[in-house]
Amino acid sequence: MRSLCVPALVAALVLTVLAPLLAQDGPELWLHLFFSVNSEEGRDRALDLLDRAGEAGYTHALLADNALNDLDTPSPDYTARLAAVQAKAAEVGIELAPGVMNIGYSGAIIGRNRNLDEGMPVRDAVFVVDGGEARLQPDPPLAVPDPGFENATDHAFKEWEWQDRAGVITFRDTEVAHSGASSLRMSDIGSGDPEYGHGRIMARLPVAPFRQYHVSVWVRTEEFDTGCMARMYIASPDGRSLSFGDLRLQATEDWTRHDTVFNSLDSEEILFYLGVWEGKSGSIWWDDLVIEEVGLVNVLRRDGTPLQVRGADGALYEEGVDFEPVAGMNEGIARWYPWSEEFPKAQPLRITAESRISEGERLYVSFYHAAHVLGDQTMCCLSEPEVYAVLESQIRGVQEYLAPRTWFMNHDEIRVANWCEACQSRGMTPGELLADNVRRCQEMILRASPGARIVVWSDMFDPNHNAHDDYYAVNGTWAGSWEGLRPTTDIANWYRGGGLETMGWFADRGHRQILCGYYDTSDFYTDEWLADAQGAGIRGIMGAMYTTWVPSYDLIEAWAEMVRGAW
């Protein structure tokens, strides 16, 4: 591990080159408080950290607490704890900046109305009426090749298109199975493939475009290194990812069912991968795979996500007249999280007594379903008016209880966008939608707090990072998102990989920057980042943030000392 203090010679050189960088006397030192103070334990932790940070010379603290978004309907216990944290920050000379505008990780918005999820479209799913109810008829029906992993010769599964190193990494195991006579086992993958750690099996499957599919598989592990990527991965033939996220596995666990959901988008065929990337040691077993098209599950009901039912002759049927109302996310249909709940059963489409729909009729049903990325991440719509009403209310609450001078906008990793009718009807790209959103968000803050300083994460406004084409499940490009930023809005630049390009991009647009270093590694690297900025003549670097996501605060003093030494 490198020394926590910059060597004297390096520190002297860095100080020499960085002296002209800033007009201020010293760096802004930010601390990322990435936990909630909505408990006595959280409050006490914040008080202790603020004491330590004040002693170490920190100037600002980002309070990244989702409970801040409920200050428009406050809990007296929470506001008392928050007041104690605010008082401590003032006592030790640290300015508290609340995290607001949860665009990207939108639970604080969607919690007000779960139908505000952006969602993804299902188009013309086939339903057939039987006994007064219309239910999904998979079209085309999916037949998974050898889902129980029973048919193999010399460990090669004949009905799958290919697999990694049969008999070396991937095996037919006849001694361990969830059901049937065998399972697929992958063992000591890192030894069998030291370069990549690949242990995978793949099949091509036909699908219908813009349909919702559910995948489940039973998994068992034994001394399995969970630092790898173990996943059910789905992609289109042209390489577009349709599923996102790894399985949440224990090193050793008995047979457990794991689930994921994906939308086929415009694909008529998918590449389905089951397996491990960057694998190392231990064993993992797979068995009883199911892939199925699903119908009315996690249906979004708001103006921007209309539901349509039509007959084979094109006739449009009316909800509440021809079929009973379909429940949305706020009406008893539980939001599904793959590690905590059983996958919900689909709602049938119930035909009314006076309906024009006939028994046996084939219907075509279009709707929008909630979209999950990386397990639990959900994104709000960028166009639905109610989203902005929620944001406005949340900002008023923060202003009432904290009246901050600095506000921190949580626009970050927006992974689903521009699918619903509310967005599509505006004829804008995702980048234009986000530019409009961030413009409105800044205006809300400044109405509540005239003259306030505003800071925002960098990634969604950086073309070197996430502001580009083909980002996760985004329909279009994020290019142009930066046009909504005021030049006076400061950037919390967390993309060290962008280097001079990213720093120069924001500097050329007139933005000041805070370099968000540390990132839970003992290789602090922020000193090198600062030196790079000066070497390229980049102006407006205000300071740096100790940015932890674990969160871990063991090194806040050493990190602050390093930044001040480099300044």
Side-chain angles (χ1 to χ4, degrees):
M1 183 177 77
R2 63 180 291 182
S3 172
L4 298 182
C5 297
V6 181
L9 177 60
V10 175
L13 290 172
V14 172
L15 265 173
T16 300
V17 298
L18 287 179
L21 186 61
L22 293 168
Q24 66 205 62
D25 293 335
E28 289 186 355
L29 283 176
W30 285 67
L31 181 63
H32 186 211
L33 296 177
F34 187 58
F35 56 88
S36 179
V37 301
N38 197 15
S39 67
E40 291 186 6
E41 179 184 2
R43 176 204 59 199
D44 293 346
R45 187 182 194 190
L47 298 179
D48 176 65
L49 283 169
L50 287 168
D51 268 331
R52 289 174 56 196
E55 184 69 23
Y58 282 80
T59 60
H60 294 75
L62 164 58
L63 183 57
D65 182 356
N66 271 341
L68 291 170
N69 295 284
D70 295 325
L71 284 174
D72 53 339
T73 56
S75 153
D77 288 343
Y78 178 66
T79 55
R81 295 182 186 111
L82 187 61
V85 171
Q86 187 179 30
K88 173 60 71 173
E91 175 190 326
V92 299
I94 290 177
E95 183 178 343
L96 205 60
V100 297
M101 302 298 189
N102 288 40
I103 309 295
Y105 293 86
S106 302
I109 299 167
I110 294 172
R112 302 296 180 93
N113 177 354
R114 292 186 291 176
N115 294 290
L116 296 177
D117 192 305
E118 168 58 20
M120 303 185 77
V122 169
R123 298 176 183 164
D124 292 333
V126 177
F127 282 59
V128 175
V129 182
D130 182 16
E133 293 185 341
R135 294 184 179 275
L136 180 78
Q137 180 175 294
D139 175 39
L142 271 176
V144 178
D146 189 17
F149 302 101
E150 304 286 334
N151 303 317
T153 300
D154 295 330
H155 298 289
F157 292 93
K158 297 178 287 185
E159 297 176 50
W160 287 74
E161 185 156 325
W162 62 258
Q163 68 191 81
D164 285 314
R165 303 203 66 186
V168 177
I169 290 173
T170 56
F171 306 86
R172 179 180 182 235
D173 192 325
T174 56
E175 296 182 1
V176 177
H178 179 255
S179 71
S182 62
S183 66
L184 166 63
R185 173 170 56 86
M186 300 170 181
S187 293
D188 296 321
I189 298 168
S191 298
D193 180 9
E195 184 174 4
Y196 299 108
H198 285 166
R200 306 158 302 169
I201 191 166
M202 191 274 279
R204 293 177 183 266
L205 299 173
V207 294
F210 292 102
R211 302 289 174 81
Q212 181 179 202
Y213 290 90
H214 167 229
V215 187
S216 67
V217 68
W218 288 86
V219 180
R220 181 179 186 270
T221 59
E222 186 175 292
E223 298 181 356
F224 182 68
D225 190 320
T226 57
C228 69
M229 295 182 288
R231 56 178 54 171
M232 298 177 279
Y233 176 66
I234 300 101
S236 63
D238 64 2
R240 178 168 188 171
S241 295
L242 301 175
S243 68
F244 309 95
D246 303 338
L247 303 182
R248 302 188 177 198
L249 300 175
Q250 302 297 316
T252 298
E253 66 178 53
D254 203 355
W255 287 108
T256 304
R257 199 182 86 172
H258 291 266
D259 301 77
T260 194
V261 171
F262 70 95
N263 189 297
S264 54
L265 300 183
D266 58 358
S267 298
E268 296 183 350
E269 182 183 62
I270 59 168
L271 308 182
F272 177 79
Y273 297 81
L274 193 67
V276 178
W277 286 252
E278 301 177 14
K280 297 178 180 63
S281 59
S283 295
I284 181 170
W285 290 261
W286 312 83
D287 206 355
D288 294 333
L289 172 68
V290 175
I291 306 177
E292 57 183 347
E293 183 183 348
V294 294
L296 297 172
V297 173
N298 285 342
V299 181
L300 297 173
R301 304 308 312 272
R302 55 181 168 88
D303 290 345
T305 56
L307 178 142
Q308 182 185 87
V309 177
R310 65 177 180 87
D313 61 358
L316 289 177
Y317 293 116
E318 186 176 348
E319 188 172 10
V321 175
D322 296 298
F323 58 94
E324 294 181 9
V326 173
M329 297 295 290
N330 291 334
E331 300 165 301
I333 307 301
R335 177 173 292 278
W336 172 68
Y337 292 109
W339 61 91
S340 63
E341 297 178 10
E342 288 294 313
F343 189 78
K345 293 181 180 179
Q347 301 176 69
L349 200 65
R350 295 185 174 89
I351 310 305
T352 62
E354 65 275 18
S355 178
R356 295 171 292 163
I357 299 172
S358 304
E359 182 72 10
E361 187 172 351
R362 185 180 177 95
L363 304 175
Y364 296 89
V365 181
S366 298
F367 61 96
Y368 294 80
H369 65 87
H372 295 80
V373 175
L374 303 181
D376 61 345
Q377 187 187 358
T378 56
M379 276 61 64
C380 67
C381 175
L382 294 176
S383 300
E384 200 68 40
E386 188 180 339
V387 167
Y388 293 92
V390 170
L391 290 172
E392 192 95 52
S393 181
Q394 291 174 335
I395 291 301
R396 286 196 300 267
V398 173
Q399 174 63 15
E400 179 179 352
Y401 283 92
L402 287 179
R405 292 182 299 170
T406 299
W407 301 67
F408 198 109
M409 298 197 304
N410 287 320
H411 290 68
D412 183 30
E413 297 183 325
I414 308 171
R415 293 181 166 125
V416 182
N418 197 33
W419 291 107
C420 76
E421 189 170 292
C423 291
Q424 286 286 293
S425 65
R426 299 174 70 186
M428 299 166 72
T429 67
E432 291 167 336
L433 291 171
L434 183 53
D436 176 69
N437 169 272
V438 75
R439 189 178 296 115
R440 294 170 70 178
C441 288
Q442 291 163 119
E443 289 169 355
M444 286 182 201
I445 291 172
L446 293 173
R447 278 197 301 271
S449 178
R453 178 188 183 186
I454 300 175
V455 186
V456 67
W457 294 114
S458 60
D459 60 302
M460 297 311 305
F461 309 99
D462 177 7
N464 305 292
H465 199 182
N466 294 338
H468 54 68
D469 300 353
D470 302 322
Y471 183 66
Y472 283 81
V474 173
N475 183 19
T477 181
W478 283 126
S481 60
W482 48 82
E483 298 295 346
L485 291 175
R486 292 170 174 255
T488 53
T489 293
D490 293 341
I491 303 298
N493 181 351
W494 64 270
Y495 190 38
R496 176 69 175 100
L500 295 176
E501 288 78 13
T502 287
M503 288 189 290
W505 167 259
F506 288 116
D508 289 345
R509 295 188 62 82
H511 298 289
R512 302 184 306 180
Q513 298 175 66
I514 301 154
L515 303 183
C516 300
Y518 178 54
Y519 263 65
D520 302 303
T521 172
S522 58
D523 181 6
F524 289 160
Y525 68 73
T526 314
D527 53 332
E528 301 162 7
W529 205 356
L530 290 166
D532 288 345
Q534 175 60 21
I538 293 172
R539 300 288 174 173
I541 307 298
M542 301 297 293
M545 180 191 293
Y546 181 98
T547 314
T548 176
W549 299 102
V550 174
S552 171
Y553 297 98
D554 293 343
L555 301 175
I556 64 173
E557 290 87 359
W559 185 85
E561 181 181 353
M562 180 274 298
V563 173
R564 281 196 305 274
W567 198 259

